[in-house]
Amino acid sequence: MTGKLPGAWHLLPQLLLLRELDPAAVAGASWYAMCLDFVAAKLTGNCVTEPTTAAGSLLFDIARREWSAELLNHFDVPADKLPPVVPSGSVVGELSTDAAAATGLPAGVPVVLGGQDQKCAALGAGIRSGVATASLGTSTAVTVLADAPGFDAATKIPCFPFVLDRVWEWEAPLATTGGALRWLRDVLARDTDYAEMDRLAAESPPGANGVTFHPHLAGAASPHWQPERRARFTGLTLGTSTADVIRAVMEGVAYEIRLNVDALERLSGRLDKVQVFGGGARSRVWCELIAAVLDRPVQTVQRVETAALGAAMLAAVHGFGNDLAEAQAALLPPGETLAPSRADAAAYDALLLRYLAE
């Protein structure tokens, strides 16, 4: 029904804990709102939500796109304290006088409700059937579209409503990706900027001269679901160079993306390309490496703030009646497509087995 396993970051367990610790606060609340709902209320005076945000509550039926009466009854959550659900991209009111004074925008401007950040980012990055998106930021979400909701017990990859009507998505989270490279720079290469790290990584061959890095600095998320797992290097020798260590970190992240793309492909069908966005997409070396590990083209998205771009597309399409393809063509500049090196792709197929065995 909810499309995902429960986690402490969802609204329901937090609400249950708060009800235990401070029952008066919970009883006296006007709304049980999440961040997007709260911002909408502050801007317009209307507390409303949309499916991709509500789906993070563990109280939402992702198939019906409505609050689940069964779950509300089971957990004794009053339905009238949850915001009404409207489609993503709906105009939910006008900017109030108070909000106008606080923001410097004119009162009366239409306010369009966006969606949860990864869903808007996937839209802004150009997700479509047969094309996955991967955010290469501090963490990563690998996302594919789905024609119907579900929950796959084998992969446990969460399913959400998408920001478009009658479309859902599978979203595989990786805990530390760009964050692993930043950790390496901060701890072991403080005088090295990212451009220099790229140059060094390019000096090391596929396989990083035997060095392997498992990037679980905050536990192993999808497809392992082992929060107790920790990061580790293997294969270090007296001959290991800084270049090898940097490349090993990039490769470890790429292997984890590959494992999730393979899992998502079993759920959604063949994926012909992956659109990569976020700060890590600025690294041509890393994106070429990812293309080789995935053995499929990677297209980089030039705009870094793709979540804001996706929200703008939603506003154009649902708020003001524009065509989605036109909005994407106008707002999303074509990025560079990096084809995998055949030799490197073959090498990485074997190196992936080494990674899994360690």
Side-chain angles (χ1 to χ4, degrees):
M1 183 183 296
T2 66
K4 56 195 63 66
L5 294 174
W9 52 89
H10 293 127
L11 172 67
L12 176 60
Q14 295 177 22
L15 180 61
L16 295 178
L17 178 62
L18 185 60
R19 190 162 68 188
E20 188 176 305
L21 297 176
D22 193 349
V26 174
S30 299
W31 297 101
Y32 302 152
M34 289 184 274
C35 292
L36 183 68
D37 322 339
F38 176 78
V39 172
K42 296 295 286 186
L43 293 177
T44 67
N46 300 321
C47 188
V48 293
T49 193
E50 52 77 49
T52 68
T53 300
S57 66
L58 292 182
L59 292 168
F60 193 72
D61 185 328
I62 64 169
R64 296 178 177 273
R65 297 191 179 224
E66 62 185 28
W67 298 113
S68 166
E70 179 183 348
L71 291 173
L72 296 183
N73 289 334
H74 181 80
F75 291 104
D76 194 24
V77 177
D80 60 0
K81 293 204 174 189
L82 292 168
V85 181
V86 300
S88 310
S90 296
V91 177
V92 295
E94 296 181 345
L95 195 67
S96 69
T97 303
D98 289 344
T103 61
L105 297 172
V109 169
V111 175
V112 178
L113 204 61
Q116 195 268 347
D117 62 348
Q118 286 292 350
K119 286 69 175 171
C120 286
L123 182 68
I127 196 171
R128 54 195 180 276
S129 178
V131 176
T133 61
S135 55
L136 200 55
T138 301
S139 57
T140 290
V142 185
T143 305
V144 299
L145 297 182
D147 294 329
F151 179 74
D152 181 67
T155 64
K156 301 180 178 64
I157 293 175
C159 184
F160 291 88
F162 195 52
V163 290
L164 303 177
D165 292 339
R166 295 181 297 281
V167 180
W168 289 261
E169 55 138 64
W170 301 100
E171 184 178 296
L174 289 72
T176 46
T177 51
L181 196 65
R182 186 180 63 217
W183 165 82
L184 178 67
R185 184 200 64 183
D186 292 347
V187 173
L188 300 177
R190 292 183 181 179
D191 297 326
T192 306
D193 61 20
Y194 287 121
E196 176 66 6
M197 293 177 80
D198 276 359
R199 187 190 68 76
L200 289 168
E203 292 180 355
S204 182
N209 287 313
V211 181
T212 302
F213 178 68
H214 292 255
H216 308 308
L217 290 161
S222 181
H224 314 285
W225 309 111
Q226 296 173 332
E228 73 284 356
R229 281 181 69 174
R230 292 295 175 259
R232 67 185 186 276
F233 283 103
T234 59
L236 296 170
T237 71
L238 291 174
T240 297
S241 67
T242 302
D244 296 332
V245 173
I246 293 170
R247 188 175 187 96
V249 170
M250 291 183 172
E251 288 180 341
V253 169
Y255 295 140
E256 290 297 322
I257 293 174
R258 164 71 182 268
L259 295 177
N260 280 285
V261 167
D262 287 352
L264 289 166
E265 208 166 42
R266 291 192 289 271
L267 296 175
S268 68
R270 173 67 187 172
L271 297 171
D272 297 317
K273 184 169 62 173
V274 177
Q275 307 272 102
V276 176
F277 62 94
R282 297 190 182 103
S283 170
R284 182 186 177 90
V285 172
W286 204 357
C287 290
E288 286 179 335
L289 190 158
I290 291 170
V293 171
L294 298 181
D295 194 15
R296 71 200 72 205
V298 162
Q299 185 171 26
T300 59
V301 177
Q302 299 303 308
R303 295 188 187 275
V304 175
E305 296 299 333
T306 51
L309 182 63
M313 290 179 183
L314 275 181
V317 173
H318 292 296
F320 302 101
N322 296 90
D323 178 74
L324 176 60
E326 292 176 355
Q328 287 181 322
L331 296 173
L332 182 61
E336 182 179 14
T337 299
L338 304 171
S341 157
R342 304 276 22 111
D344 287 355
Y348 278 123
D349 276 344
L351 289 165
L352 178 63
L353 297 178
R354 183 187 77 181
Y355 176 82
L356 292 172
E358 293 181 347

